Amino acid sequence: MTATEIIVEAADATPPRSTRSVGAYLLIAPAIVWMTLFLVVPMAMIVYVSFWTQTTFKIEPKLTLDSWQTFFSSSTYISSLWTTVRIWLTVLAMTFLVGYPTALFVGLFVKNKTLQTTLLVLCVIPFWTSFLIRVLAWRPMLGKEGAINILLMKAGIIQQPIEALLFTDLSVVIGMTQIYVVFMVGPIAFMLGRIDPNILEAARDLGAGFWRILRKIIFPLSLPGVVVGAIFVSVMVLGEFATSAALSGRKVNLLGNIIVTQVGSLKWALASVVGVILTFIMGVVIAGLLRIVDLKKEL
Amino acid sequence: MRAHVAEGSVLRLEQLTKRFGDRAALDKISFSVNSGEYVSLLGPSGSGKTVLLRAIAGFEAPEEGRVSIVGEDVTRKPPHLRGIGFVFQNFALFPHLSVFDNVAFGLRNGGDKRTESDTRRRTLEMLDLVGLNGLETRGVHQISGGQKQRVALARTLVIKPKLVLLDEPLGALDANLRMRMRVELRRIRERLGIPFLHVTGSESEALAMGDRLIVLDRGAISQFGPPGEVYEHPANPNVAKFLNCYNVFDGSVQGDAFVTNHGPIPLARRVASSTPAYAVRYDRLTTRADAGAGLSAAYIASEYLGSAIMHFFETPDGKVVELEHHLSNGPPDAYEAGRTYRLSWRPEDGIAFV
Amino acid sequence: MESRLLKPILAVYVGLFLLFLYGPFIVLGILSFQQGPEGGPQFPIQEWSVFWYKHILGLAPPSRVSPLPIGISLTRSLTLAGMTMVTSTVLGVMAAQAFRRNFKGKSAAFYLIVLGMIVPGVLVGLGSALVATTTGLERHWYSTAFATHVVYTLPFAFLVMLAIFNRFDASVEEAAWSLGVPPATTFRKVTFPLIFPGVLSAMLFAFTLSYDEFSRTLFSSGREQTLPLAIYSTFAVEIHPNVFAFGVLTTLFSFALLTVYAILMTLSVRRAKRVAIQEAV
C-alpha cells in the first residue's frame, strides 16, 4: 500500500544540500511544537497521573502506588490483560494467514499492472466507509438469524443456527481480521512485487519445487513486509475497544475497553495505569518486531 | 598583480574551500574572470567542477575563502542577490510555464519591478536573439532539446546577469546539435558581451569555446591559460591526460634520458612536476622513419575520424599507444594486426615532466 | 507444474478474500431496505422499503425509533475535518520542506512526527483528556479534539510530502533564485504549483482520517458529538436499520469526495497530459 512506499522513500530522502539550517528549524518548529504539546505532554501525563491518588470522582497529585496495586490485584483487570494479548496474537496470526496468499497473488502472480492496481484499490475501498459502520455490519452477518447462519442452513450444512458466531471471541477476531487484514496485505504485496522474477526463474531451473521456493526465497524476501504489516496490525489491535464493544456484547474486555469504562466513571488514575501498561506492551511488541529485520537496510 | 586583476575582473575567487565530510571537494581555489571573457573549465567527473560552479552561484556554502562579483564580496549572500545567471545541464525549465513565461519569469518576479509592456518587449527581443520566435505559447515539453537549451539561455540572459555560469550546457544534446550550439553560444555571448564561465567534461569543447581554459583536478586548479598554451604546454601529466591528445608514459629521469618500461627516451623539453612522466602528442608519432625517439608496439586497430585516423598500438606490457594520422598528410599507412612496429617522434616534440 | 495449478487456486482464493472484505457491506446494503419502523436489523426482509432512508433525512413519520443525531454532528465532523486538513497539510508541507536540508536532530524530529500515527488513539485521547482535566481546560471538538486529530493526520501529510519532495527536481528552484527571484516568491510561483498534486493527496488523507476518527475524539471532544461518536453511541442501545441506511449514505458520500479529488487531480495534471499528447502527434 502507499504507506509503505512512503516510508521506504522517507528512509533514503534528503540529498545533502545547503548546510544553512536556521530556515529548516523555523519550518520544522510548528510541527515539533504541536507534536510535543499534544502528543508527548499527554503521554507523559498518563505516566504521571497513574501515580496520583484517586478519590471517588477526583484525582489529586499525591503520589501513590494504589492504582497500580488495584490493577494487579484484580482478576478482572489481569484477565483483560491476557484477553488483549490473546486477541492480539490471534488476529495477528489470522491477518497473516488470510492475507499472505492474497499478497502472494497480487504481488507475485499478477503481472498486469492495471489488474494489480485494481485489486489493491478494491482492498482499500472499504476504508472509505466509516470504521464503526464496518464493525456494525458484522452483526447482521454473524447473528443467530444472520446471513451466515441462513446461508448455511439453506445449504443444509447445519440444522440449528450456530449461536457462537456473535458476541464471542470469535466474532471479535473475525471482525478485526476483516478490518485490519489489508494492512498486512499491502506491505507484503509491496515487498513481493519487488522480487526479481529472474531469481525465481533461476530457482525453478535448478529444479526447486514451489513450496521450497516459497519457503527459501519468497518468504525471506517478503519478511520486511510481514514485519511492517505486523506493526500496523499490532498497533491498531492493541489499542482497540470499539470492535470488541460492538461484536462481543461486552463479554470481551480488552485493555482499551477498561480505559473507556474507567474514564466513563472518572477513574482517571486507574485508566492511566492501564494506559501505561498498554504503552509498555506496544513498545515491547514494536521493538521485538523491529529486531526481526533491519527495516532501514531492507527497505 | 592582485590589484591589477581585481580591476577588470567580474568574478574573483580567493582560497575557496568546500568540504564534504573530511574530503575537500574544492581546495583553495583562486582565479578571476575578466569582463567580456569566455572561460571554460575542464575537469574529469569528480574533479569538483560542478561544486565550484554551485559555490559561485551560492547554492553551496564554502567553508573558507571569498567569492567577489565586480569587487563586491558575495560569499555570504543568497543566490538571488548575486546577479549571476546559471544554465543547468538538464535546463531546469519551469515545466508548468510556457516558453514565453519561462523567459519572462525573472523579469516578472525578480527584484526590480517593471511594467508588463517592458517585460514583453525585452522577452520578445531575447526570444528573437536566440531564434525562438513563434514558439512563445508552446509548453516547454513541446519543444526539442536544442530549443530547450535556447529557452534556458534566454531566460538567464534576459535579466542581464553580471556573469553567466554554464554547467555542461551541451551535455544533454546529441553530437550534431552540440556542434551547432557551440557556434550559437559564442555568437549570442558576443552580442551581449556578458562573461561566461562554462564547465565541461569535453576537452574539445573546452579548447574550442574558451578565451581562457581552466583545468581542474581533484578540487584544485592544475592549469589556467589560453587554450593554445594549455594544449601545447600542459603543466603536468594529468592535464596532458585530460586533454586526450597525449600519450603519457610513466618512468623516471636517468641522466639525459627518460627511462620507461618501453626503453629510454632522449630528453629535450623538461617541465617541472611533482610526478615524473613523459608525454607526446598522438599526431607527432610516425612509423615511417626513425625521428630520434621511440618505442616498439604491436598494432591493434584503427578508428576513422573523418579528417584523421587513429591507430592503436599496444606495448608488450599492455600500454595502449595512440597515433593520429591527419589525412591532409596523405593516405594512411596499412598495418598488420599483431605485428610490431617502431613508433617514433622527434625528441623535441616530447615533454618530460621531472 | 505446481505453480501452474497454483495460480488459478490463488485467484479463486482472492475472490473469496474480496467476498470476505465486502460481504458485510452487501448484507448491510440489503438490510438498509428493511421495512420500517417495525423491521429489525436482521433477516428476513419483511418488505422492501426506503423507510429508513426517509428516517435518516427526517422525512419519516415519528415512531418509537428516535432519529440519529446526524445533522449537527455531521456539520461538526465536516468542519473539524476541514480544520484538521488545512492545519496538518500546512504543517506537513513546512516540515517536509525543512527535511530537504540537513539539520541536527533530523532523525529525532522524524520519529517524533511519525509517532503521531503509531500511538493508539485511545492513549492519545486519554492523555489529552488528562491534560485538559488537570489544567481545567474545557474539552471541545474544535479545541482538544482538533489538536489530537492533527497529531494523527500530520504524520500522513508529512510522509506524503516527503515522498513528493524526494522526487522533486530542486534545480528548478535554483534556476528561479539565479534569476533574482527571492525564495518566498520561488516557493509560490515554482515549488507550490509543482508539488500541488502531492498537496491534494495529503489533504485527502488528512480529511478522510479526521472525518472518520473516533477513538481520539471519544475522550477529547467533550459533550458535543462528532458523527463517529453519534454512531458509537448507538452501539450501547438497540441498533436499527437506520444505521445501515446511514452507512450506505456515508459510503456514497465518501465516493463523492473521492470523485472531487479525482477531478481536481485530473485538472492539475491535464496540462501536462495535453502537452504530451500534442507532442506525440
Side-chain angles (χ1 to χ4, degrees), chain A residues 72-152:
Chain A
F72 283 107
S73 57
S74 152
S75 61
T76 321
Y77 299 145
I78 297 294
S79 84
S80 87
L81 176 60
W82 294 128
T83 308
T84 307
V85 172
R86 192 178 70 233
I87 296 275
W88 160 61
L89 285 173
T90 318
V91 173
L92 194 59
M94 288 301 292
T95 49
F96 174 75
L97 291 175
V98 172
Y100 202 91
T102 308
L104 202 59
F105 185 73
V106 175
L108 210 58
F109 282 81
V110 178
K111 298 284 190 297
N112 180 332
K113 277 272 164 226
T114 319
L115 181 59
Q116 205 172 36
T117 315
T118 310
L119 285 172
L120 284 176
V121 168
L122 275 176
C123 289
V124 176
I125 282 177
F127 286 85
W128 272 285
T129 302
S130 166
F131 159 74
L132 291 163
I133 291 190
R134 279 186 288 144
V135 174
L136 227 43
W138 276 105
R139 283 212 201 163
M141 277 297 274
L142 299 174
K144 199 176 149 197
E145 291 156 12
I148 289 181
N149 272 325
I150 291 176
L151 284 179
L152 289 178

